[in-house]
Structure formats: C-alpha cells, structure tokens
C-alpha cells in the first residue's frame, strides 16, 4: 500500500510529490494526460517562485532551459494609459511545456512512481485508508493508499468530492494561450486590459513570447475557431495590444484553451481529501504570484501530510490546520484580485490611476508589489513548516 497518492502532475502535484518522495514516503502520482504538454497559463515565475525551486532542487535544471528574463511589469489600460514598475528582483518566463516535465522527472528521482495517461475515477474512505479507482489504456484497477492529495486543477472534480465545492464566481471564463514569434519584448511582463478581461504577454525560453488571456465565455462566442483567432479578436479592444500582436506569428502546436473557468470566492482546500494549487483556489490571473501560491499550498500540505503519516497528527487536526493556513494565505489575495478586476473595468478609474501614477511613480510599484505574496506565515501549529 503506498503512503501517498497525488492526483495531478502539474506544478502543485509534482512539487508535492518531490517533497513526499524526498521525505521517504512511498508516493505515486497519476495524471490523465501525458507530458510534455502545453497549458493555458501566464508562465510568469516570480522571484518567490524561484526560491521554492531552489528548495525543491530543480532551480539549476530549470535555469539550464534559458528562461526569459523579466525585470519589470507593465499595465496597459484600454484607454491607452500605461503604468510601469520595476521588479525588486528579476523574474522568469518559462513555458509549462518545459517546466512541468522537469518537475515530474525530479519527482521520479525523489522516488515517486509517476503514471501519466492514467485517470482516477473514484476515491472513498475505507477502514483508515482510501480506496482509489484507476483507469488507463490497460483497463481499470483498484488501489489502496494511506493518504490522497488532489492536484487536479481548475475544474472541481465533484464526482470525487465528499462535499460540494466552495463558492465560485458566477462568470464563466475561458483561459487561452499561445506562443508567438516575432513579438519583441523588453524584459517586461505586460498586462493589457480589454473589455471584461485581460491578456498577458511575457518572454519565455527560446526567444518566444507567451500570450495568455482570461476572457468571459459568453462574450467570446463566435469570435473565432482557433486560439489565435480568439486572441486577435479580443486584442482588438486594446489598440496598443493589437499593434503589438499584429506582426507576430503563432508557433505551431502551442495553442491551448480551457473552459469553463470560475474564479474562486474563497479557498476550497478540502473535499474528501486535501486540495492544492488551482484545485484549492483559482486565483485571478492578474494576481502576479499564482504559481508561487500553488507551490506554497503544496509545501504546506506536504508538511501536514508528513506529520499525519508519522502519526504525529490526526486527519481532523490536519484538516483544521491546513484550512486555517490557506485562509490566511489565500483569502486576502482572492479579495484583492476581485477588487482589482472590478476597478480596472470601470470607465473612469484607470484614467485616474494612470494620472496619479505619472505624478507619483511609486504608486505603480506599490500596486505591482500588492499582487505578490508576502512572507510565508508559519504553520498553524507553530513549527517551521519543513517537517
């Protein structure tokens, strides 16, 4: 019987598997897709994220991929106003296609058994363990494990949950992304506001530019039949963005979309099992530290999972401590993300903000800093969070 089963091989799931495997626990990871693969993501890695990669032992391997260097952030409103801020430390732009593969390989090196092209069809508590239904090309199987961790992404797997998902926003979005060639960048991550949505641009490895968007699903219908067409149609709502993309070409096989996406109103950190990353909270993409948040939730859950497996904590104590920790970490950034999104779509506010930022440049720095996670809070039980 494995000690831990991780469902999902993305950023949160693979980093959790690295931690659990490194702690000596017999860990298995399942993902219904095969790797490498593209993902609808802004692909911006904040300095805080890079520090976690050092802790996980993958920083050198990721740096060898020659990620795009990012030293500033730029916000471009629909009326043409621009606010720019310099980052305190350089950040990276790195595709999920490359990054996720490196993390999964590191999980295997840490001792995790990785099974891609394999989905989990059921989870049920059974006599102090969990009974897990597994489905792959080879057929179906039943597996028992001491613990299970949900890292299945933005779509709540209600068929696997013991309780309904927590409240999510009513607006259904579509997340889309493509890599472009021929779109010059100046070491900046750029956020362009359009009507009821936004499009981000950032450099990634190989001289490519990642273009990712979050758009209301009902407003994008019949706007195109491909990710490229949808991006260019949406970009027409921001003159500067349309001009930026006009000379670019989409790199083949980099287009990807996901829908529907609902932004979380509050963290949803536990169903029948603990939930990490986007499964625990879908953060507005304009919040600039989403991947750091996913890594942080995985690290915290690995800490409590280790204590549970060592019989130093009950499942109920784990649930209470992890839920309280994630409320502290996520509640404020979810609220901030909703407020920033609402304000940016008001006709007058962006103009006032742009004018104020011209007079007080430090205002732009403050806004960019507000979209980054602060220092990590200690675990609820008061120890250092590293087991």
């Amino acid at each position: 019987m494995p000690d831990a089963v991780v469902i999902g091989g993305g950023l949160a799931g693979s980093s959790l598997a690295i931690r659990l495997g490194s702690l000596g626990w017999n860990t298995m990871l399942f993902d219904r897709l095969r790797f490498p693969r593209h993902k609808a993501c802004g692909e911006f890695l904040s300095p805080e994220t890079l520090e976690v990669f050092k802790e996980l032992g993958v920083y050198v391997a990721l740096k060898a991929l020659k990620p795009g260097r990012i030293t500033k952030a730029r916000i471009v409103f629909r009326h043409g106003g621009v606010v720019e801020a310099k980052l305190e430390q350089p950040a990276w732009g790195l595709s999920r296609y490359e990054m996720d593969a490196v993390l999964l390989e590191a999980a295997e090196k840490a001792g995790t058994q990785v099974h891609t092209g394999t989905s989990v069809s059921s989870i049920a508590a059974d006599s102090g363990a969990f009974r897990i239904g597994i489905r792959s090309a080879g057929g179906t199987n039943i597996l028992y494990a001491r613990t299970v961790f949900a890292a299945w992404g933005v779509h709540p797997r209600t068929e696997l949950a013991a309780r309904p998902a927590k409240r999510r926003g009513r607006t259904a979005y579509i997340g889309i992304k493509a890599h472009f060639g021929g779109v010059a960048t100046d070491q900046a991550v750029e956020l362009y506001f359009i009507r009821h949505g936004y499009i981000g641009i950032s450099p990634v490895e190989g001289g490519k530019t990642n273009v990712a968007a979050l758009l209301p699903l009902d407003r994008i219908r019949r706007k195109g039949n491909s990710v490229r067409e949808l991006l260019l149609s949406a970009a027409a709502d921001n003159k500067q963005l349309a001009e930026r993309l006009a000379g670019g070409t989409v790199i083949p096989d980099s287009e990807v979309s996901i829908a529907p996406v609902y932004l979380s109103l509050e963290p949803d950190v536990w169903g029948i099992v603990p939930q990490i990353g986007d499964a625990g909270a879908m953060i507005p993409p304009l919040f600039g530290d989403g991947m750091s948040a996913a890594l942080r939730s995985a690290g915290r859950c690995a800490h409590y999972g280790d204590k549970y497996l060592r019989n130093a904590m009950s499942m109920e104590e784990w649930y209470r401590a992890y839920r309280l920790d994630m409320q502290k970490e996520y509640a404020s950034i979810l609220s901030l993300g909703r407020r920033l999104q609402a304000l940016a779509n008001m006709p007058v506010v962006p103009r006032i903000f742009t004018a104020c930022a011209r007079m007080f440049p430090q205002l732009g720095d403050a806004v960019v800093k507000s979209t980054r996670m602060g220092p990590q809070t200690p675990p609820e039980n008061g120890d250092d969070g590293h087991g």
Side-chain angles (χ1 to χ4, degrees):
M1 178 189 298
D3 298 307
V5 164
V6 180
I7 307 172
L11 180 67
S14 56
S15 66
L16 173 67
I18 292 170
R19 292 182 185 276
L20 292 174
S22 298
L23 288 167
W25 299 114
N26 179 4
T27 305
M28 300 179 73
L29 183 149
F30 296 96
D31 196 292
R32 63 185 178 84
L33 300 177
R34 298 191 182 277
F35 292 76
R37 83 307 182 238
H38 286 282
K39 185 174 182 179
C41 177
E43 301 183 337
F44 170 78
L45 299 171
S46 69
E48 292 81 2
T49 305
L50 304 186
E51 289 302 315
V52 178
F53 286 155
K54 292 176 182 178
E55 182 185 342
L56 292 171
V58 298
Y59 178 86
V60 173
L62 293 173
K63 187 177 181 180
L65 297 172
K66 298 183 178 179
R69 178 180 169 86
I70 299 172
T71 60
K72 53 191 170 184
R74 183 178 299 126
I75 300 172
V76 184
F77 295 105
R78 290 178 59 225
H79 74 282
V82 178
V83 176
E84 187 172 300
K86 185 177 179 180
L87 301 181
E88 294 177 352
Q89 301 175 56
W92 284 357
L94 185 62
S95 72
R96 296 296 298 271
Y97 187 92
E98 298 287 355
M99 182 178 67
D100 288 0
V102 168
L103 287 165
L104 272 183
E105 183 179 353
E108 287 189 296
K109 288 181 179 178
T112 296
Q113 301 173 55
V114 174
H115 300 269
T116 58
T118 305
S119 60
V120 172
S121 57
S122 63
I123 306 171
D126 190 339
S127 302
F130 291 92
R131 183 179 185 271
I132 307 162
I134 306 296
R135 185 167 54 233
S136 67
T140 60
N141 194 15
I142 296 296
L143 175 71
Y144 287 86
R146 295 177 63 191
T147 61
V148 180
F149 301 81
W152 48 53
V154 299
H155 287 146
R157 300 288 295 278
T158 54
E159 72 276 15
L160 302 181
R163 54 176 71 105
K166 290 287 184 69
R167 291 188 308 123
R168 296 183 179 237
R170 290 178 293 180
T171 301
Y173 293 93
I174 180 172
I176 57 178
K177 96 93 186 279
H179 288 164
F180 277 65
V183 177
T185 59
D186 57 349
Q187 296 192 349
V189 56
E190 302 172 273
L191 185 66
Y192 291 84
F193 280 93
I194 58 175
R195 202 181 308 272
H196 304 291
Y198 30 85
I199 299 179
I201 295 180
S202 61
V204 292
E205 75 281 357
K208 298 173 291 188
T209 300
N210 182 53
V211 181
L214 187 74
L215 309 169
L217 196 53
D218 63 346
R219 292 178 177 270
I220 205 66
R221 297 187 192 277
R222 298 179 296 279
K223 297 291 186 179
N225 297 316
S226 69
V227 169
R228 178 185 180 279
E229 290 175 341
L230 292 175
L231 283 172
L232 294 180
S233 174
D237 195 46
N238 186 307
K239 181 180 178 181
Q240 293 189 57
L241 176 58
E243 292 173 351
R244 290 276 279 119
L245 298 184
T249 57
V250 172
I251 295 173
D253 301 321
S254 68
E255 299 170 86
V256 65
S257 64
I258 183 170
V261 175
Y262 295 92
L263 301 180
S264 298
L265 300 180
E266 58 184 302
D268 186 15
V269 298
W270 204 286
I272 190 172
V273 297
Q275 302 180 169
I276 62 174
D278 288 345
M282 178 56 196
I283 298 171
L286 58 81
F287 175 77
D289 225 357
M291 286 202 265
S292 176
L295 288 167
R296 193 174 290 192
S297 70
R300 189 59 55 86
C301 208
H303 165 69
Y304 289 129
D306 173 60
K307 294 193 69 172
Y308 172 80
L309 290 168
R310 289 189 286 105
N311 297 314
M313 171 179 274
S314 70
M315 184 72 74
E316 181 61 28
E317 289 171 331
W318 176 4
Y319 163 70
R320 290 200 305 267
Y322 180 56
R323 183 182 54 139
L324 188 56
D325 282 350
M326 291 300 98
Q327 284 287 345
K328 291 178 181 177
E329 296 281 7
Y330 278 92
S332 61
I333 60 179
L334 290 174
S335 176
L336 173 63
R338 292 196 302 273
R339 291 198 301 271
L340 289 176
Q341 185 167 337
L343 289 172
N345 281 297
M346 293 180 180
V348 178
V349 172
R351 296 178 184 273
I352 296 174
F353 179 76
T354 304
C356 291
R358 281 198 299 265
M359 292 186 291
F360 306 101
Q362 63 270 29
L363 181 60
D365 296 336
V367 170
V368 170
K369 188 174 182 179
S370 73
T371 64
R372 303 257 296 281
M373 299 192 77
Q376 184 164 327
T377 58
E380 177 57 25
N381 60 0
D383 57 27
D384 63 7
H386 298 289

